Amino acid sequence: MALSKVTDTIVDLPLGVKALGGVVLTGVVLAGFWKGLGVRQTNRKVYPPNTIVIHQLGRGPYVPSLTPFAIKLETYFRLEGIPYQAEHALYRKSQKTGKVPFLEYNGEEVSDSEFILEFLSKEKNFDMHKGLTAEQIGVGRAFQKMAEENTYWCFVADRWVLDKNNTALKEFGIPRYLWGRMQGKIRTMIHAQGLGRHTPEEIRHIMSNDLTALSYFIGSKKFLFGDEACKFDCAIFGILAEIRWASFGGFGTSVIKQYPNLCDYCERMKKTFWPDWEEMIKRDCTK
């Protein structure tokens, strides 16, 4: 039956029948969606031995990855000249933790960007803190955790919940019938984290305070600790890049523009480690 005929028939049904039919239809659509998702999860590729494969969300449309933690990993691999392969799937997550990005290496799966780097530093025998003093490692860790555990959640609230136009959901190609469920899960997460208990104005203020601290510390330096970038720069850049270029309809872009040295820092990281940036961001964000 043609779709137009189906919709015409639905319009003519009694209200109670339409309500029941809507529930059934939604259930059928969701079941089909999650069944398809399961198929995508189980269709695994086989890679050559010792290949570093990072599974993440798709490229673009404004940043090379839709998750800051994938940008962190890829930037670090580029910093150290470590060969890797990126695989993109909007709905694929770690089977162990449900997180993204995750590493696949010789059949082993590792999730969480920090655990991935720790795992690879042992497998590939590289020092994540090469050239840094003990004091710099301490400071870098503090700023990284501020960005990843605090600023990040401001960004999540801004992108997914506070934008009344749902720009990110549209850009990501998320089916409209999943919007409420997805936003509900995110609201629950940021409420449990604590940030979601604040007003939008307070969340914006918290983000501004974090960026102020980072702006003060970087000052006129090229990177976090001077002329050479380090692992902590990669982590911080991952967060700032999302705020700078992929806040979609949120307040993040206007907030970071209040800090010219952070905007310059983002441009410097992009130019240094992502000469193919423009090529990357032209790819479909669902692939």
Side-chain angles (χ1 to χ4, degrees):
M1 182 183 292
L3 181 60
S4 60
K5 293 183 178 180
V6 173
T7 55
D8 289 343
T9 303
I10 291 174
V11 169
D12 292 335
L13 289 174
L15 181 60
V17 176
K18 285 193 286 187
L20 177 60
V23 172
V24 173
L25 178 61
T26 300
V28 170
V29 171
L30 286 173
F33 173 79
W34 293 116
K35 182 179 180 181
L37 174 57
V39 171
R40 286 193 292 270
Q41 289 272 31
T42 55
N43 288 340
R44 302 263 178 167
K45 293 182 182 179
V46 177
Y47 303 96
N50 302 320
T51 302
I52 296 173
V53 182
I54 298 299
H55 294 274
Q56 56 159 298
L57 303 177
R59 299 285 190 201
Y62 307 113
V63 285
S65 178
L66 297 171
T67 166
F69 302 103
I71 294 180
K72 164 187 173 179
L73 289 173
E74 288 200 66
T75 304
Y76 183 76
F77 295 154
R78 288 162 177 247
L79 167 68
E80 294 292 347
I82 299 172
Y84 70 97
Q85 182 172 335
E87 292 287 347
H88 307 279
L90 187 58
Y91 303 106
R92 185 173 180 182
K93 299 179 181 179
S94 166
Q95 290 188 337
K96 292 182 178 180
T97 63
K99 298 180 73 172
V100 63
F102 66 93
L103 168 75
E104 189 174 350
Y105 183 78
N106 290 340
E108 186 169 356
E109 181 182 298
V110 182
S111 67
D112 188 278
S113 58
E114 281 299 295
F115 287 146
I116 288 171
L117 290 180
E118 290 177 10
F119 172 84
L120 289 176
S121 70
K122 296 175 182 177
E123 290 290 323
K124 299 295 186 179
N125 193 29
F126 61 81
D127 181 3
M128 292 189 295
H129 301 137
K130 179 178 60 179
L132 297 179
T133 67
E135 180 180 3
Q136 288 172 331
I137 293 171
V139 172
R141 169 78 175 182
F143 271 113
Q144 177 184 329
K145 289 295 115 179
M146 178 194 77
E148 292 184 342
E149 305 296 342
N150 197 63
T151 318
Y152 168 74
W153 288 106
C154 296
F155 162 73
V156 168
D158 179 39
R159 176 193 268 183
W160 294 109
V161 177
L162 301 181
D163 175 24
K164 302 303 182 183
N165 295 318
N166 299 308
T167 312
L169 291 164
K170 296 172 184 175
E171 290 277 7
F172 277 55
I174 304 299
R176 187 177 290 269
Y177 58 82
L178 292 178
W179 288 8
R181 176 175 179 172
M182 188 170 181
Q183 287 182 320
K185 289 181 67 175
I186 294 171
R187 284 193 181 95
T188 299
M189 290 168 61
I190 61 176
H191 184 83
Q193 192 271 346
L195 195 89
R197 301 164 194 255
H198 295 288
T199 66
E201 293 76 18
E202 289 171 336
I203 294 173
R204 180 179 181 133
H205 181 68
I206 292 169
M207 177 186 282
S208 294
N209 282 346
D210 286 357
L211 296 188
T212 296
L214 187 57
S215 176
Y216 285 163
F217 185 79
I218 291 179
S220 60
K221 298 193 296 291
K222 289 181 63 176
F223 301 109
L224 202 62
F225 297 116
D227 292 337
E228 299 293 332
C230 65
K231 173 215 172 217
F232 299 115
D233 285 289
C234 301
I236 290 168
F237 175 62
I239 303 295
L240 295 186
E242 299 286 347
I243 296 173
R244 176 76 173 86
W245 292 297
S247 287
F248 298 104
F251 57 67
T253 301
S254 62
V255 171
I256 197 172
K257 283 182 177 179
Q258 298 172 17
Y259 305 92
N261 70 325
L262 295 186
C263 293
D264 291 344
Y265 171 84
C266 287
E267 293 290 345
R268 202 155 41 245
M269 289 290 293
K270 181 175 77 169
K271 182 178 180 179
T272 304
F273 300 110
W274 291 90
D276 54 349
W277 183 279
E278 293 302 322
E279 177 187 349
M280 293 293 103
I281 67 174
K282 289 178 182 177
R283 300 187 184 184
D284 185 347
C285 66
T286 63
K287 296 180 180 177

